[in-house]
Amino acid sequence: QVQLVESGGGLVQAGGSLRLSCAASGSISSISAMGWFRQAPGKQRELVATIFSSGSTNYADSVKGRFTVSRDNAKNTVYLQMNSLKPEDTAVYYCNARLLMYGSVSFKDYWGQGTQVTVSS
């Protein structure tokens, strides 16, 4: 079994900062990528940021320059530092990991339960 546990969401004023964390645990052999998605009310889930095992990163255009994704491979943990937050960043943020479990032959996507981020104007 694999579990992704997120923390760090909350309520912040526009212009403020938050840091999200997500730790993956369980029978994990390898993680190829970890990242964050978000879903606002009435909208589809969208990619926010991804970090690959190589250290390369990918960001949505809407968060470039404001958000930073990082990863602690030893702890199987991914972080999302969110600065200069805007009301339009309000959403439920979901952690994602593409990983290989021991005994498996293919990588699969796993999701956290989501954490609410609310930015007030």
Side-chain angles (χ1 to χ4, degrees), residues 22-83:
C22 172
S25 63
S27 185
I28 300 170
S29 174
S30 177
I31 301 178
S32 64
M34 298 186 78
W36 296 90
F37 288 69
R38 67 186 181 187
Q39 188 167 18
K43 295 187 177 181
Q44 289 188 330
R45 189 174 297 189
E46 62 176 2
L47 171 70
V48 176
T50 301
I51 183 166
F52 298 91
S53 57
S54 62
S56 63
T57 57
N58 183 40
Y59 293 93
D61 288 343
S62 59
V63 307
K64 284 181 180 177
R66 301 188 297 122
F67 291 11
T68 302
V69 63
S70 60
R71 179 172 164 178
D72 185 334
N73 291 328
K75 296 181 179 180
N76 288 340
T77 299
V78 63
Y79 305 95
L80 185 67
Q81 178 66 43
M82 304 185 291
N83 298 328

Side-chain angles (χ1 to χ4, degrees), residues 104-120:
S104 296
V105 297
S106 60
F107 284 82
K108 295 181 180 179
D109 283 322
Y110 293 84
W111 296 89
Q113 78 284 358
T115 185
Q116 177 70 45
V117 171
T118 303
V119 184
S120 63

